[in-house]
Amino acid sequence: MCILIIDDDRSVTASLSLLLKQAGHASRVAASPDEALAILRAEPCQLVVQDMNFSRRTSGDEGLELLTAIKSAHPQLPVILITAWGSISLAVEGMKRGATDFVTKPWTNQHLLQTLETTLGVTAARPRPDEAIPGREELDAQYDFGDLLGSDRQMLRILNLIGRIAATDASVLITGESGTGKELVADAIHRNSRRADRPFVKVNLGGIATTLFESEMFGHVRGAFTDARADRKGRFEVAHGGTIFLDEIGDLDPAAQVKLLRVLQDRTYEVLGSSQKRTVDVRIIAATNRNLTDMVGRGDFREDLLYRINLIPIHLPPLRDRRDDVPVLATRFLQTMAAIYRREPLSLTEDARRWLQGQAWPGNVRQLRQWIERAVLVSSGDCLSVDDFSASVAMETREPASDMLPPVGSMTMDEIERGMIQKALKHHGRNLSRVADALGLSRAALYRRLEKYEIQV
Ligand SMILES: Nc1ncnc2c1ncn2[C@@H]1O[C@H](COP(=O)(O)OP(=O)(O)OP(=O)(O)O)[C@@H](O)[C@H]1O
Ligand SMILES: [Mg+2]
């Protein structure tokens, strides 16, 4: 099977054919839409590379028409578009019509080849819809998912996809509500990739001030701006050879979106204060709990950036839609807490297990973990009952100021909460961030309670 190159510029097709040949790929060349469609009818191709501006006389409509014709005749065939830098909107329109990826001119041979090979790799790796999904054990025998638990059908499908595409360099966009495990998924992809022993650099894009974005991501040289007293490495440089995890990508403001698009486009960037171009070899994984498609509709997120990052979209379902995983997760968290708080092995009553499974879990797996941790702090026995979770339920629905609290057993809610906070303080060595985290409280909410219960720290 070969790669079909469509362009009317002979010098382009000649150099592309040569490039592909050197990389071990056979190719065919078409100089017009008719010729391209004729070749595709006559022989199977594995990939198409199409120049969108191939007819100098037109605005690109002809390119879009050809793309549409190719995709309707061969829906599974991946098409990569080449567009001029100024006509990114054309590339975006092409992506909407089914193109797999796009490369902008002027392209470097290395980047183009990487794009082609990633696409070929993804096409080969992607599980087919009719394929049977392996069970959790079978998947664990093949891949290392780290701490990522779950054997619900939807999760198995996701785990299978993670394993299969990890080896390619394709960009992945992980979406899902807060607390669904996006970070663990990113980690699992890196672990199973050929980059596993290189850096995995996590960047929280929501936490970077706009003015510091470039310096943080691309680095700066000494003297680049007033406070730049020494050279500083950017996150992309640190991630070189490995994976960069762009977390909370939906929080980026428009100016930063453009800057990010540039480096994702051709993997080159400039260090602040130097005019030198750097090339970086990184795999991109992005995540957000926002709906980027809606944001594009409102004009809050660049459409071209969205297409750049979501070659492989992975959507994590909320915990309430995979309730069968609740006991598995709860059991693991009980083990973790028993180890942290140096307790005997812990378990759940049958009632508690069913009750947990029935909760709505708006905070998803993170919330389940917090509730288990609080219950462990409240309980003195080895087997947690529904009562041990009532402090969590109460904390979720009230502020500590109110005194009208339901008593649990012989203790009031206040007594339970006070005891819980004291235990957490003891175990976390008075590290208030960790305590707030364990109890699922903001630091402010924790301070309010410390004051109310007159706990000295
Ligand atoms: N499938 C899972 N198996 C085991 N632990 C999980 C799983 N999903 C989430 N967790 C745990 O839940 C917590 C939240 O997970 P994570 O940080 O990956 O969520 P997230 O989707 O990135 O959330 P946010 O959008 O708020 O950043 C972590 O403690 C994580 O270890
Ligand atoms: Mg996260």
Side-chain angles (χ1 to χ4, degrees), residues 61-89:
D61 290 352
E62 209 175 341
L64 285 174
E65 272 165 34
L66 174 58
L67 170 66
T68 308
I70 293 174
K71 289 307 287 187
S72 67
H74 312 272
Q76 302 301 327
L77 182 62
V79 179
I80 290 175
L81 306 177
I82 297 182
T83 57
W85 173 260
S87 60
I88 285 239
S89 58

mmCIF file of all heavy atoms in Angstrom, residues 61-89:
data_model
loop_
_atom_site.group_PDB
_atom_site.id
_atom_site.type_symbol
_atom_site.label_atom_id
_atom_site.label_comp_id
_atom_site.label_asym_id
_atom_site.label_seq_id
_atom_site.Cartn_x
_atom_site.Cartn_y
_atom_site.Cartn_z
ATOM 1 N N ASP A 61 -11.398 26.251 -2.408
ATOM 2 C CA ASP A 61 -12.652 25.493 -2.509
ATOM 3 C C ASP A 61 -12.450 24.174 -3.227
ATOM 4 O O ASP A 61 -13.036 23.162 -2.875
ATOM 5 C CB ASP A 61 -13.707 26.314 -3.270
ATOM 6 C CG ASP A 61 -14.174 27.492 -2.429
ATOM 7 O OD1 ASP A 61 -13.777 27.536 -1.244
ATOM 8 O OD2 ASP A 61 -14.894 28.350 -2.961
ATOM 9 N N GLU A 62 -11.605 24.223 -4.245
ATOM 10 C CA GLU A 62 -11.364 23.021 -5.016
ATOM 11 C C GLU A 62 -10.733 21.943 -4.132
ATOM 12 O O GLU A 62 -11.058 20.768 -4.223
ATOM 13 C CB GLU A 62 -10.435 23.354 -6.183
ATOM 14 C CG GLU A 62 -10.661 22.471 -7.388
ATOM 15 C CD GLU A 62 -9.794 22.921 -8.564
ATOM 16 O OE1 GLU A 62 -9.318 24.075 -8.551
ATOM 17 O OE2 GLU A 62 -9.585 22.105 -9.468
ATOM 18 N N GLY A 63 -9.832 22.387 -3.261
ATOM 19 C CA GLY A 63 -9.196 21.473 -2.311
ATOM 20 C C GLY A 63 -10.215 20.849 -1.373
ATOM 21 O O GLY A 63 -10.188 19.651 -1.117
ATOM 22 N N LEU A 64 -11.144 21.669 -0.873
ATOM 23 C CA LEU A 64 -12.177 21.150 0.029
ATOM 24 C C LEU A 64 -13.098 20.174 -0.685
ATOM 25 O O LEU A 64 -13.488 19.150 -0.135
ATOM 26 C CB LEU A 64 -12.999 22.305 0.615
ATOM 27 C CG LEU A 64 -12.318 23.132 1.705
ATOM 28 C CD1 LEU A 64 -13.183 24.321 2.097
ATOM 29 C CD2 LEU A 64 -12.016 22.272 2.933
ATOM 30 N N GLU A 65 -13.417 20.503 -1.931
ATOM 31 C CA GLU A 65 -14.279 19.595 -2.706
ATOM 32 C C GLU A 65 -13.602 18.251 -2.909
ATOM 33 O O GLU A 65 -14.222 17.201 -2.763
ATOM 34 C CB GLU A 65 -14.586 20.193 -4.078
ATOM 35 C CG GLU A 65 -15.802 21.091 -4.068
ATOM 36 C CD GLU A 65 -15.877 21.953 -5.325
ATOM 37 O OE1 GLU A 65 -15.469 21.474 -6.410
ATOM 38 O OE2 GLU A 65 -16.319 23.110 -5.195
ATOM 39 N N LEU A 66 -12.328 18.305 -3.223
ATOM 40 C CA LEU A 66 -11.602 17.051 -3.425
ATOM 41 C C LEU A 66 -11.568 16.245 -2.127
ATOM 42 O O LEU A 66 -11.831 15.042 -2.126
ATOM 43 C CB LEU A 66 -10.177 17.336 -3.908
ATOM 44 C CG LEU A 66 -9.274 16.104 -4.022
ATOM 45 C CD1 LEU A 66 -9.870 15.058 -4.963
ATOM 46 C CD2 LEU A 66 -7.875 16.496 -4.499
ATOM 47 N N LEU A 67 -11.289 16.920 -1.032
ATOM 48 C CA LEU A 67 -11.261 16.236 0.262
ATOM 49 C C LEU A 67 -12.601 15.556 0.531
ATOM 50 O O LEU A 67 -12.664 14.392 0.940
ATOM 51 C CB LEU A 67 -10.952 17.248 1.383
ATOM 52 C CG LEU A 67 -11.111 16.747 2.812
ATOM 53 C CD1 LEU A 67 -10.082 15.672 3.141
ATOM 54 C CD2 LEU A 67 -10.994 17.896 3.805
ATOM 55 N N THR A 68 -13.687 16.297 0.296
ATOM 56 C CA THR A 68 -15.019 15.744 0.523
ATOM 57 C C THR A 68 -15.254 14.511 -0.355
ATOM 58 O O THR A 68 -15.789 13.500 0.109
ATOM 59 C CB THR A 68 -16.090 16.815 0.222
ATOM 60 O OG1 THR A 68 -15.745 17.991 0.958
ATOM 61 C CG2 THR A 68 -17.465 16.357 0.623
ATOM 62 N N ALA A 69 -14.816 14.605 -1.610
ATOM 63 C CA ALA A 69 -14.998 13.466 -2.516
ATOM 64 C C ALA A 69 -14.205 12.257 -2.027
ATOM 65 O O ALA A 69 -14.693 11.120 -2.021
ATOM 66 C CB ALA A 69 -14.553 13.850 -3.931
ATOM 67 N N ILE A 70 -12.981 12.488 -1.584
ATOM 68 C CA ILE A 70 -12.145 11.380 -1.103
ATOM 69 C C ILE A 70 -12.775 10.744 0.131
ATOM 70 O O ILE A 70 -12.907 9.529 0.234
ATOM 71 C CB ILE A 70 -10.708 11.872 -0.753
ATOM 72 C CG1 ILE A 70 -9.974 12.317 -2.021
ATOM 73 C CG2 ILE A 70 -9.929 10.775 -0.047
ATOM 74 C CD1 ILE A 70 -8.615 12.951 -1.761
ATOM 75 N N LYS A 71 -13.221 11.590 1.082
ATOM 76 C CA LYS A 71 -13.769 11.041 2.327
ATOM 77 C C LYS A 71 -15.094 10.321 2.099
ATOM 78 O O LYS A 71 -15.406 9.372 2.814
ATOM 79 C CB LYS A 71 -13.955 12.154 3.379
ATOM 80 C CG LYS A 71 -12.667 12.707 3.966
ATOM 81 C CD LYS A 71 -11.714 11.675 4.544
ATOM 82 C CE LYS A 71 -12.161 11.077 5.858
ATOM 83 N NZ LYS A 71 -11.099 10.190 6.438
ATOM 84 N N SER A 72 -15.878 10.762 1.112
ATOM 85 C CA SER A 72 -17.146 10.050 0.924
ATOM 86 C C SER A 72 -16.921 8.710 0.227
ATOM 87 O O SER A 72 -17.619 7.747 0.495
ATOM 88 C CB SER A 72 -18.184 10.912 0.207
ATOM 89 O OG SER A 72 -17.757 11.152 -1.112
ATOM 90 N N ALA A 73 -15.899 8.631 -0.616
ATOM 91 C CA ALA A 73 -15.616 7.351 -1.265
ATOM 92 C C ALA A 73 -14.811 6.422 -0.351
ATOM 93 O O ALA A 73 -14.955 5.199 -0.393
ATOM 94 C CB ALA A 73 -14.855 7.581 -2.572
ATOM 95 N N HIS A 74 -13.971 6.990 0.484
ATOM 96 C CA HIS A 74 -13.097 6.180 1.358
ATOM 97 C C HIS A 74 -13.095 6.761 2.775
ATOM 98 O O HIS A 74 -12.122 7.396 3.182
ATOM 99 C CB HIS A 74 -11.659 6.165 0.819
ATOM 100 C CG HIS A 74 -11.563 5.859 -0.640
ATOM 101 N ND1 HIS A 74 -11.476 4.572 -1.123
ATOM 102 C CD2 HIS A 74 -11.568 6.677 -1.727
ATOM 103 C CE1 HIS A 74 -11.409 4.604 -2.443
ATOM 104 N NE2 HIS A 74 -11.469 5.866 -2.843
ATOM 105 N N PRO A 75 -14.185 6.540 3.523
ATOM 106 C CA PRO A 75 -14.314 7.198 4.835
ATOM 107 C C PRO A 75 -13.168 6.878 5.805
ATOM 108 O O PRO A 75 -12.831 7.692 6.653
ATOM 109 C CB PRO A 75 -15.642 6.660 5.377
ATOM 110 C CG PRO A 75 -16.325 5.993 4.245
ATOM 111 C CD PRO A 75 -15.323 5.682 3.188
ATOM 112 N N GLN A 76 -12.603 5.697 5.701
ATOM 113 C CA GLN A 76 -11.565 5.294 6.664
ATOM 114 C C GLN A 76 -10.171 5.807 6.314
ATOM 115 O O GLN A 76 -9.246 5.707 7.116
ATOM 116 C CB GLN A 76 -11.484 3.756 6.759
ATOM 117 C CG GLN A 76 -12.783 3.084 7.153
ATOM 118 C CD GLN A 76 -13.276 3.565 8.499
ATOM 119 O OE1 GLN A 76 -12.482 3.880 9.385
ATOM 120 N NE2 GLN A 76 -14.592 3.653 8.650
ATOM 121 N N LEU A 77 -10.036 6.294 5.072
ATOM 122 C CA LEU A 77 -8.704 6.679 4.609
ATOM 123 C C LEU A 77 -8.248 7.986 5.256
ATOM 124 O O LEU A 77 -8.908 9.012 5.126
ATOM 125 C CB LEU A 77 -8.758 6.830 3.083
ATOM 126 C CG LEU A 77 -7.471 7.184 2.345
ATOM 127 C CD1 LEU A 77 -6.410 6.096 2.531
ATOM 128 C CD2 LEU A 77 -7.770 7.378 0.854
ATOM 129 N N PRO A 78 -7.110 7.966 5.975
ATOM 130 C CA PRO A 78 -6.657 9.218 6.596
ATOM 131 C C PRO A 78 -6.099 10.202 5.562
ATOM 132 O O PRO A 78 -5.377 9.801 4.644
ATOM 133 C CB PRO A 78 -5.560 8.770 7.564
ATOM 134 C CG PRO A 78 -5.143 7.412 7.134
ATOM 135 C CD PRO A 78 -6.264 6.819 6.321
ATOM 136 N N VAL A 79 -6.479 11.474 5.702
ATOM 137 C CA VAL A 79 -5.988 12.519 4.791
ATOM 138 C C VAL A 79 -5.278 13.596 5.605
ATOM 139 O O VAL A 79 -5.826 14.094 6.590
ATOM 140 C CB VAL A 79 -7.157 13.178 4.017
ATOM 141 C CG1 VAL A 79 -6.641 14.272 3.085
ATOM 142 C CG2 VAL A 79 -7.941 12.127 3.238
ATOM 143 N N ILE A 80 -4.056 13.911 5.201
ATOM 144 C CA ILE A 80 -3.332 15.007 5.849
ATOM 145 C C ILE A 80 -3.274 16.185 4.895
ATOM 146 O O ILE A 80 -2.942 16.023 3.717
ATOM 147 C CB ILE A 80 -1.910 14.554 6.230
ATOM 148 C CG1 ILE A 80 -2.011 13.545 7.373
ATOM 149 C CG2 ILE A 80 -1.055 15.745 6.652
ATOM 150 C CD1 ILE A 80 -0.711 12.938 7.762
ATOM 151 N N LEU A 81 -3.630 17.363 5.385
ATOM 152 C CA LEU A 81 -3.667 18.541 4.528
ATOM 153 C C LEU A 81 -2.402 19.373 4.692
ATOM 154 O O LEU A 81 -1.851 19.450 5.787
ATOM 155 C CB LEU A 81 -4.862 19.415 4.898
ATOM 156 C CG LEU A 81 -6.229 18.724 4.914
ATOM 157 C CD1 LEU A 81 -7.294 19.706 5.381
ATOM 158 C CD2 LEU A 81 -6.556 18.170 3.533
ATOM 159 N N ILE A 82 -1.990 19.965 3.584
ATOM 160 C CA ILE A 82 -0.920 20.954 3.667
ATOM 161 C C ILE A 82 -1.535 22.296 3.312
ATOM 162 O O ILE A 82 -2.187 22.429 2.276
ATOM 163 C CB ILE A 82 0.234 20.613 2.696
ATOM 164 C CG1 ILE A 82 0.860 19.283 3.108
ATOM 165 C CG2 ILE A 82 1.273 21.721 2.704
ATOM 166 C CD1 ILE A 82 2.034 18.852 2.258
ATOM 167 N N THR A 83 -1.399 23.265 4.223
ATOM 168 C CA THR A 83 -1.975 24.584 3.943
ATOM 169 C C THR A 83 -0.933 25.655 4.178
ATOM 170 O O THR A 83 0.018 25.451 4.915
ATOM 171 C CB THR A 83 -3.169 24.900 4.868
ATOM 172 O OG1 THR A 83 -2.723 24.815 6.210
ATOM 173 C CG2 THR A 83 -4.319 23.973 4.649
ATOM 174 N N ALA A 84 -1.173 26.795 3.551
ATOM 175 C CA ALA A 84 -0.283 27.924 3.772
ATOM 176 C C ALA A 84 -0.520 28.439 5.187
ATOM 177 O O ALA A 84 -1.612 28.310 5.719
ATOM 178 C CB ALA A 84 -0.587 29.025 2.761
ATOM 179 N N TRP A 85 0.510 29.008 5.797
ATOM 180 C CA TRP A 85 0.404 29.467 7.187
ATOM 181 C C TRP A 85 -0.768 30.427 7.366
ATOM 182 O O TRP A 85 -1.501 30.372 8.325
ATOM 183 C CB TRP A 85 1.730 30.122 7.607
ATOM 184 C CG TRP A 85 1.617 30.753 8.948
ATOM 185 C CD1 TRP A 85 1.432 32.076 9.215
ATOM 186 C CD2 TRP A 85 1.625 30.098 10.212
ATOM 187 N NE1 TRP A 85 1.338 32.274 10.571
ATOM 188 C CE2 TRP A 85 1.449 31.084 11.203
ATOM 189 C CE3 TRP A 85 1.756 28.765 10.609
ATOM 190 C CZ2 TRP A 85 1.410 30.791 12.556
ATOM 191 C CZ3 TRP A 85 1.711 28.473 11.963
ATOM 192 C CH2 TRP A 85 1.552 29.468 12.910
ATOM 193 N N GLY A 86 -0.975 31.309 6.383
ATOM 194 C CA GLY A 86 -2.033 32.304 6.477
ATOM 195 C C GLY A 86 -3.433 31.747 6.314
ATOM 196 O O GLY A 86 -4.403 32.436 6.569
ATOM 197 N N SER A 87 -3.546 30.492 5.877
ATOM 198 C CA SER A 87 -4.901 29.986 5.613
ATOM 199 C C SER A 87 -5.257 28.832 6.529
ATOM 200 O O SER A 87 -5.749 27.802 6.116
ATOM 201 C CB SER A 87 -5.026 29.560 4.149
ATOM 202 O OG SER A 87 -4.093 28.548 3.865
ATOM 203 N N ILE A 88 -5.003 29.042 7.816
ATOM 204 C CA ILE A 88 -5.311 28.023 8.812
ATOM 205 C C ILE A 88 -6.802 27.718 8.849
ATOM 206 O O ILE A 88 -7.216 26.597 9.089
ATOM 207 C CB ILE A 88 -4.825 28.486 10.207
ATOM 208 C CG1 ILE A 88 -3.310 28.353 10.257
ATOM 209 C CG2 ILE A 88 -5.475 27.697 11.301
ATOM 210 C CD1 ILE A 88 -2.799 27.473 11.324
ATOM 211 N N SER A 89 -7.622 28.733 8.571
ATOM 212 C CA SER A 89 -9.066 28.496 8.613
ATOM 213 C C SER A 89 -9.465 27.442 7.582
ATOM 214 O O SER A 89 -10.409 26.690 7.779
ATOM 215 C CB SER A 89 -9.820 29.795 8.360
ATOM 216 O OG SER A 89 -9.430 30.315 7.100
#
